[in-house]
Amino acid sequence: MPPESTYVEPQTKKNIISKSQLEARCKAGEILIVVNQKVYKLDKWIKHHPGGQLAIRHCIGRDCTDEVKALHPDYVLEKKIKYFEIADYLPKDSDPEFAPILGNPASRSKEDIFAAQEALYSKAYRQLEIRLKNQQLFETNYINYAWRLSSTSGEPARCTTWHRLSISFFAHDAGHNSITHSLEIDNGIGIFLADFLGGLSIGWWKKSHYVHHIVTNHPIHDPDIQHLPFFAVTTRIFKGFFSTYHQKEFVFDRASQFFVSYQHYLYYPIMMLGRFNLYVQSMKFLATEPVYPYRKQEIIGLTIYWIWYPYFVKQLPTWNMVVAYIFISHMFTFMLHVQITLSHFGMSTEELGDAESFAAKMLRTTMDVDCPIWLDWFHGGLQFQAIHHLFPRMPRHNLRRAQPFVKEFCDEVGLTYHIHGFAKGNSIVYSALKDVADQVGFFVEVAKHEAKEYVDAQKIVLPDLKKDL
């Protein structure tokens, strides 16, 4: 059994913690999060978290109720998390020290008014979740899954491009616990699909993807938009940055300047090579991740994949055909990479602070792709990325049914639901990449000018003050 099913952190005496106290304790190094007005201490548990440590670290010191509920099965909130509770939480607007935010807006700061508005978005979002649960949209239609799985397994060639895409769709659902809604069972399904059949680590995908769902489109934190030297989705990257996910410095060097200058032309060719990068990331994760309970299972899975897959392709009559098949079958998975990046590359990368609600952030940073219902099979349900980001554990065959409810929610609260056709979406991404590419030359010229000013300044010789003494 994984550690999360057995480990219980000792409880301390329950009390009340205010916002200022929470901030002070977190600055002192404690790992505290707020869920449903309760404070939870995760210092010892964090290294055992199935979704990786970073997913928790991005929630330290703030109310992450919506994130936790969106990404975890119900039983985690009902049975597991209670063992880590240490106090009730007293938010700023409930603290007698502060006047109510909405009571007298003129006396409050813009930040407080913004936080109050975001709280209203969050409240409406939770009501929307209840409506969708009442519609049974979080329940899995196993007949639908069986039909889709049988249509995939019935293919005469088990390594076709469509087979790879279908596996990715199913593994994505398993990674989000949206098939059986059981962590252990869905994780087993994910390892079988991703590792044994796809050659990719489901553990690596979870670690990366859960962070992406929490800090979507944040240039410093979201690994899904950190692609130097090939892509830069915002000019903020020009200055270089330290990636909290990769734990390394990204430098906008000459190679980056070259590739980013042409990124709008290179977008599709580079997407065709994306699958090979996933192999590397998977192996790197299993070799370097310090604590991962399913390492042995995944290593066995990848080992079996790299036995049966070469054996399969060796059945082709010539080596030229073997090489051609490998490259063509892998290159055409670019459809999946385009589908995923399409929903984010052209969207906002601003950072609006911890007060921004989960729902508002997901809708601001994510785009849905409009298509007729008969084309859903091609997109695999991933065309509803905005809805998926709002409700990651909803089975993908229910995302279309949830769309009218999400549209109504956005209209009621005044949020924008971004949805465009596939062609329009590609055009938006192309324009966004081109806008950044066009500014590379200007950035380089400014950097040269600043460097020249610095060199000229060094030529100014200060008088030797010692001679005047």
Side-chain angles (χ1 to χ4, degrees):
M1 294 292 286
E4 69 273 13
S5 63
T6 58
Y7 177 81
V8 176
E9 182 165 329
Q11 298 187 51
T12 60
K13 184 178 180 180
K14 185 175 179 180
N15 55 16
I16 296 177
I17 296 178
S18 67
K19 180 177 175 62
S20 58
Q21 291 173 327
L22 179 72
E23 293 174 349
R25 292 180 63 167
C26 289
K27 287 181 180 179
E30 291 187 70
I31 299 176
L32 306 176
I33 67 172
V34 177
V35 178
N36 289 329
Q37 300 301 307
K38 304 288 185 182
V39 180
Y40 298 92
K41 183 177 174 65
L42 304 177
D43 296 61
K44 296 181 180 179
W45 165 246
I46 188 171
K47 64 181 180 180
H48 299 298
H49 183 234
Q53 294 190 35
L54 275 177
I56 291 178
R57 292 194 177 278
H58 285 301
C59 296
I60 292 177
R62 66 184 181 89
D63 188 335
C64 56
T65 301
D66 293 338
E67 288 89 336
V68 171
K69 291 182 66 176
L71 292 167
H72 293 82
D74 291 340
Y75 71 85
V76 172
L77 284 90
E78 296 169 357
K79 299 179 180 180
K80 299 288 185 180
I81 198 171
K82 65 182 180 181
Y83 296 113
F84 309 104
E85 179 186 336
I86 63 169
D88 289 328
Y89 178 60
L90 185 65
K92 185 175 180 179
D93 57 349
S94 298
D95 195 329
E97 181 181 348
F98 300 96
I101 296 174
L102 294 180
N104 184 13
S107 66
R108 308 309 298 159
S109 66
K110 291 182 179 180
E111 291 77 11
D112 286 341
I113 296 174
F114 173 75
Q117 181 61 61
E118 295 299 314
L120 295 178
Y121 291 151
S122 183
K123 181 179 179 180
Y125 164 70
R126 295 171 191 179
Q127 292 172 345
L128 172 63
E129 181 186 26
I130 294 174
R131 292 181 62 192
L132 297 178
K133 284 186 175 181
N134 291 337
Q135 294 292 322
Q136 299 182 332
L137 295 186
F138 286 89
E139 297 183 12
T140 302
N141 183 339
Y142 292 104
I143 296 178
N144 182 288
Y145 270 108
W147 176 79
R148 292 177 184 272
L149 189 60
S150 64
S151 64
T152 301
S153 60
E155 296 171 2
R158 299 302 177 89
C159 299
T160 62
T161 299
W162 178 243
H163 177 73
R164 291 185 181 276
L165 293 177
S166 298
I167 288 175
S168 298
F169 297 150
F170 283 108
H172 178 269
D173 287 359
H176 277 296
N177 301 128
S178 61
I179 297 180
T180 69
H181 309 288
S182 165
L183 177 63
E184 290 80 10
I185 297 176
D186 280 345
N187 196 67
I189 294 173
I191 291 176
F192 174 74
L193 294 173
D195 294 76
F196 284 76
L197 299 184
L200 304 179
S201 166
I202 192 68
W204 161 78
W205 180 88
K206 283 186 176 184
K207 177 185 177 182
S208 170
H209 199 65
Y210 288 0
V211 171
H212 164 67
H213 268 269
I214 294 172
V215 289
T216 308
N217 266 27
H218 193 298
I220 308 302
H221 303 306
D222 185 0
D224 280 19
I225 62 168
Q226 296 176 347
H227 300 297
L228 284 182
F230 302 109
F231 298 119
V233 298
T234 172
T235 55
R236 290 176 60 187
I237 291 176
F238 290 178
K239 296 181 180 180
F241 65 96
F242 181 83
S243 167
T244 57
Y245 176 82
H246 294 286
Q247 289 293 296
K248 70 175 184 178
E249 193 78 26
F250 278 77
V251 180
F252 196 65
D253 53 17
R254 290 189 176 183
S256 299
Q257 294 168 15
F258 172 79
F259 285 113
V260 173
S261 296
Y262 301 98
Q263 63 179 358
H264 46 304
Y265 299 122
L266 298 174
Y267 175 60
Y268 296 108
I270 291 177
M271 288 296 109
M272 291 182 179
L273 302 176
R275 184 80 180 189
F276 297 104
N277 176 55
L278 301 189
Y279 288 142
V280 174
Q281 296 300 322
S282 295
M283 295 178 183
K284 182 179 178 181
F285 169 82
L286 293 177
T288 62
E289 187 68 13
V291 179
Y292 182 53
Y294 300 103
R295 190 191 314 274
K296 291 183 180 179
Q297 294 90 325
E298 291 211 44
I299 290 176
I300 293 173
L302 292 184
T303 301
I304 293 176
Y305 173 82
W306 289 110
I307 292 175
W308 76 258
Y309 180 69
Y311 175 80
F312 174 88
V313 296
K314 281 179 63 178
Q315 306 309 307
L316 295 171
T318 67
W319 279 107
N320 286 339
M321 290 185 67
V322 169
V323 174
Y325 176 82
I326 291 174
F327 274 92
I328 292 175
S329 64
H330 280 71
M331 288 168 62
F332 270 89
T333 60
F334 87 98
M335 293 183 289
L336 176 62
H337 302 295
V338 168
Q339 177 75 71
I340 295 173
T341 57
L342 185 67
S343 297
H344 298 294
F345 272 21
M347 301 302 291
S348 170
T349 58
E350 291 183 82
E351 169 54 30
L352 301 185
D354 290 342
E356 184 180 22
S357 66
F358 175 73
K361 182 189 295 184
M362 296 305 105
L363 291 167
R364 176 175 59 83
T365 58
T366 314
M367 172 204 309
D368 271 1
V369 176
D370 192 20
C371 75
I373 190 171
W374 56 266
L375 201 55
D376 282 357
W377 64 271
F378 178 78
H379 296 282
L382 297 182
Q383 75 272 30
F384 298 112
Q385 277 289 296
I387 302 175
H388 167 66
H389 267 255
L390 290 173
F391 306 105
R393 293 184 299 104
M394 181 179 291
R396 56 191 167 95
H397 54 260
N398 288 334
L399 294 175
R400 179 176 286 277
R401 291 175 57 196
Q403 188 181 48
F405 296 94
V406 172
K407 287 183 176 180
E408 182 181 348
F409 159 76
C410 291
D411 291 339
E412 289 176 352
V413 301
L415 291 172
T416 302
Y417 172 56
H418 298 276
I419 181 168
H420 302 281
F422 189 72
K424 176 64 174 178
N426 277 268
S427 175
I428 291 173
V429 170
Y430 174 86
S431 297
L433 293 176
K434 186 177 185 301
D435 286 345
V436 175
D438 289 343
Q439 298 182 63
V440 172
F442 176 74
F443 169 81
V444 172
E445 289 302 317
V446 170
K448 288 181 179 179
H449 177 72
E450 291 179 347
K452 184 177 182 301
E453 285 187 336
Y454 176 79
V455 172
D456 291 342
Q458 302 306 306
K459 295 178 181 178
I460 300 176
V461 180
L462 295 175
D464 191 345
L465 299 179
K466 291 183 177 180
K467 293 181 179 181
D468 297 334
L469 297 176

